[in-house]
């Protein structure tokens, strides 16, 4: 038996194993309904084992395939696979601190407009670097940045806007992009909860979110729109930003050779860099203070199979959201129901609700959990009120707040969300609706 024949036999048996032992159990009344779960079949498992048989444990052929396929799906020129969505946000932000950007680089003390109602790793890179986040309130029921406060947030040291599309619902890209263009600001779209969402910029054609700003980011953690276990991506149409992203992802090196390849440029030993001696090995020349944020080829192998399913996942998320909205429309006097941003077609990550009556959430959420409906808060609620901000809050240093964050605080007190992941059935959605109705009667 040849190596190729042996591989095919192994992969055939893996496929059969998955079909027998990894089939999803059909929902029965009384089963717990999670807010999210992996949706996969033998394609992912076969790819995973196929990659492992190569025993090329870092980035390799599946990584190259994944980056090409995601670029094609999004309609962007450059895509870099990384280890997580948080790594993607770190890399996207740090790319804007590169000396290669000249006067437009973000320096320590420069300001970045963002929101406090979201996930912390959208903001963490700014603080860790020494930039100053400028927090603006959000709107309800879109749960995205209040664009009427953008001009007030602007200062002489503002260099960028970095915000997320909340639960798949795009922020007002027309207004934010126009604001950034007018003021020569970078725009980072944290697209980790919105892969597949689309937005009409005014020309009648929808574009994928994450591709309208200068840099977009994605997460492939299991609850997200697609998964490879851990994983993320950074994407851009800007060749210089792509060069910086690739350098910082790969230890900060100047060389662009892929792992296992040497001297692709033909000038490995004849360049002059920094204060190094002429001819110093270009493989070990560092133009940035970088990281190792690569993913493994085994993760990428799973991602390649998931990408093929992503369009159907997005369709199912949209169906589930619309069906749940229909079932809950009669609760609008007690719950503020979610609303898609104008000009958008969201790929919904979750179904957010804000209780109109104070303290209502404290009764409703425990009731849902007791009856097997998994819930989630809207991430940090108000990030500024968390222990990680204790010292900065006491010292009143390191960040700015524009006006009051009234809606952000309301979200912290009164908002929660439930899932619409593609593995959900109409029966599961109906059960969630039933329990919400019951909980509102308490």
């Amino acid at each position: 038996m040849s190596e190729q024949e042996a591989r095919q036999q192994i992969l055939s048996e893996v496929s059969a194993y998955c079909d027998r032992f990894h089939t999803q159990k059909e929902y029965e009344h009384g089963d717990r309904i999670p807010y999210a779960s992996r949706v996969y079949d033998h394609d992912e498992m076969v790819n995973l084992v196929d990659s492992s048989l190569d025993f090329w444990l870092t980035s390799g052929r599946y990584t190259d395939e994944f980056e090409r396929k995601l670029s094609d799906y999004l309609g962007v020129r450059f895509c870099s696979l990384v280890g997580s969505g948080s790594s993607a946000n770190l890399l996207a932000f740090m790319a804007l601190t590169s000396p290669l950007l000249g006067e437009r680089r973000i320096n320590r003390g420069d300001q970045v407009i963002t929101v406090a109602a979201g996930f912390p790793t959208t903001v963490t890179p700014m603080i860790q670097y020494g930039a100053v986040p400028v927090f603006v309130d959000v709107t309800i029921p879109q749960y995205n940045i209040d664009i009427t406060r953008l001009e007030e947030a602007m200062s002489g040291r503002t260099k960028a806007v970095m915000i997320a599309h909340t639960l798949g619902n795009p922020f007002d890209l027309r207004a934010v992009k126009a604001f950034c263009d007018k003021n020569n600001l970078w725009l980072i779209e944290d697209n980790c909860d919105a892969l597949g969402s689309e937005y009409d910029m005014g020309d009648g054609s929808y574009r994928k979110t994450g591709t309208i700003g200068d840099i977009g980011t994605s997460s492939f953690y299991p609850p997200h729109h697609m998964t490879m276990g851990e994983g993320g991506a950074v994407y851009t149409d800007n060749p210089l930003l792509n060069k910086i992203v690739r350098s910082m992802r790969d230890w900060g090196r100047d060389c662009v050779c892929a792992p296992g390849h040497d001297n692709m440029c033909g000038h490995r030993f004849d360049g002059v860099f920094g204060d190094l001696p002429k001819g110093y090995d270009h493989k070990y020349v560092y133009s940035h203070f970088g990281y190792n944020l690569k993913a493994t080829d085994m993760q990428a192998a799973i991602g390649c199979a998931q990408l093929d399913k992503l369009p159907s996942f997005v369709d199912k998320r949209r169906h589930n959201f619309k069906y749940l909205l229909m079932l809950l429309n009669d609760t609008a006097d007690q719950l503020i129901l979610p609303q898609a941003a104008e000009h958008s077609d969201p790929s919904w990550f979750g179904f957010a609700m804000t209780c109109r009556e104070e303290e209502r959430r404290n009764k409703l959420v425990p009731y849902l959990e007791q009856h097997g409906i998994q819930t989630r808060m809207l991430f940090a609620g108000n990030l500024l009120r968390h222990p990680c901000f204790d010292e900065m809050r006491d010292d009143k240093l390191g960040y700015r707040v524009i006006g009051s964050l009234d809606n952000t605080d309301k979200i912290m007190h009164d908002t929660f969300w439930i899932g619409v992941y593609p593995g959900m059935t109409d029966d599961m959605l109906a059960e969630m609706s039933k329990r919400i109705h019951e909980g509102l009667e308490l």
Side-chain angles (χ1 to χ4, degrees), residues 189-204:
E189 295 178 69
D190 180 337
N191 201 39
C192 290
D193 291 345
L195 187 60
S197 293
E198 297 179 324
Y199 192 90
D200 177 8
M201 288 297 289
D203 59 2

Side-chain angles (χ1 to χ4, degrees), residues 27-28 30-34 368-376 428:
Y27 170 74
E28 296 180 4
D31 288 347
R32 181 163 173 76
I33 303 175
L368 295 177
E369 293 283 350
Q370 290 164 13
H371 289 83
I373 311 300
Q374 192 175 34
T375 65
R376 286 291 183 266
M428 296 164 75

Side-chain angles (χ1 to χ4, degrees), residues 64-343:
D64 293 341
E65 179 184 346
F66 179 84
E67 290 177 344
R68 286 195 303 269
K69 290 174 76 169
L70 183 59
S71 293
D72 289 344
Y73 175 78
L74 292 168
V76 294
R77 294 174 63 189
F78 308 109
C79 173
S80 296
L81 179 63
V82 296
S84 70
S86 297
S87 297
N89 281 343
L90 172 64
L91 194 53
F93 175 81
M94 290 304 295
L96 300 184
T97 71
S98 169
L100 297 180
L101 299 178
E103 293 182 357
R104 292 198 67 193
R105 72 180 291 196
I106 297 176
N107 294 293
R108 290 173 178 82
D110 284 340
Q111 298 178 7
V112 181
I113 298 171
T114 189
V115 301
F119 200 76
T121 57
T122 310
V123 176
T124 299
M126 310 170 198
I127 294 171
Q128 290 177 333
Y129 176 71
V132 178
V134 179
F135 293 103
V136 175
D137 207 2
V138 298
T139 62
I140 299 174
Q142 295 83 16
Y143 305 101
N144 281 311
I145 190 167
D146 181 353
I147 60 168
T148 66
R149 310 307 295 266
L150 286 172
E151 292 292 345
E152 187 181 353
M154 184 72 189
S155 79
R157 295 208 67 176
T158 306
K159 289 288 185 68
V161 175
M162 183 172 179
I163 44 179
H165 301 292
T166 303
L167 296 181
N169 197 15
F171 57 79
D172 188 337
L173 274 160
R174 292 190 186 186
V176 174
K177 183 68 164 60
F179 172 77
C180 290
D181 289 347
K182 170 186 163 186
N183 294 289
N184 198 30
L185 305 179
W186 299 108
L187 173 57
I188 299 177
E189 295 178 69
D190 180 337
N191 201 39
C192 290
D193 291 345
L195 187 60
S197 293
E198 297 179 324
Y199 192 90
D200 177 8
M201 288 297 289
D203 59 2
S205 62
Y206 281 81
R207 294 169 58 186
K208 296 286 195 300
T209 55
T211 70
I212 294 164
D214 296 286
I215 308 178
T217 62
S218 281
S219 170
F220 308 126
Y221 190 65
H224 285 97
H225 289 70
M226 54 162 282
T227 188
M228 54 179 71
E230 302 287 350
V234 182
Y235 30 93
T236 183
D237 271 325
N238 185 312
L240 178 56
L241 290 179
N242 178 62
K243 175 183 177 179
I244 298 167
V245 164
R246 300 292 265 204
S247 171
M248 287 188 167
R249 183 193 68 174
D250 299 355
W251 307 283
R253 64 181 185 166
D254 199 71
C255 175
V256 297
C257 291
H261 296 272
D262 294 334
N263 206 24
M264 293 173 59
C265 65
H267 296 282
R268 181 179 174 187
F269 297 109
D270 61 12
V272 177
F273 304 95
D275 200 27
L276 292 167
K278 182 178 179 180
Y280 194 83
D281 187 351
H282 191 219
K283 192 84 173 176
Y284 291 93
V285 173
Y286 301 95
S287 51
H288 295 98
F289 293 104
Y291 315 89
N292 179 3
L293 299 178
K294 298 190 300 298
T296 70
D297 223 39
M298 292 176 287
Q299 292 169 271
I302 298 169
C304 286
Q306 285 272 290
L307 265 177
D308 292 338
K309 298 179 172 67
L310 181 58
S312 66
F313 289 168
V314 172
D315 288 344
K316 191 65 165 64
R317 285 179 177 277
R318 287 171 174 157
H319 165 82
N320 291 347
F321 180 91
K322 290 177 183 177
Y323 189 62
L324 196 52
L325 185 62
M326 179 192 72
L327 293 174
L328 292 173
N329 263 333
D330 62 341
T331 68
D333 60 330
Q334 296 174 279
L335 297 173
I336 302 174
L337 299 175
Q339 184 179 102
E342 191 176 5
H343 314 300

Side-chain angles (χ1 to χ4, degrees), residues 51-60 63 295-299:
S51 174
S52 70
L53 292 175
D54 292 343
F55 214 68
W56 184 259
L57 303 180
T58 184
S59 302
T63 298
T296 70
D297 223 39
M298 292 176 287
Q299 292 169 271

Side-chain angles (χ1 to χ4, degrees), residues 30-48:
D31 288 347
R32 181 163 173 76
I33 303 175
Y35 83 96
S37 183
R38 304 162 301 171
V39 178
Y40 67 99
D41 59 25
H42 59 255
D43 295 333
E44 285 82 354
M45 194 170 289
V46 166
N47 273 17
L48 173 62

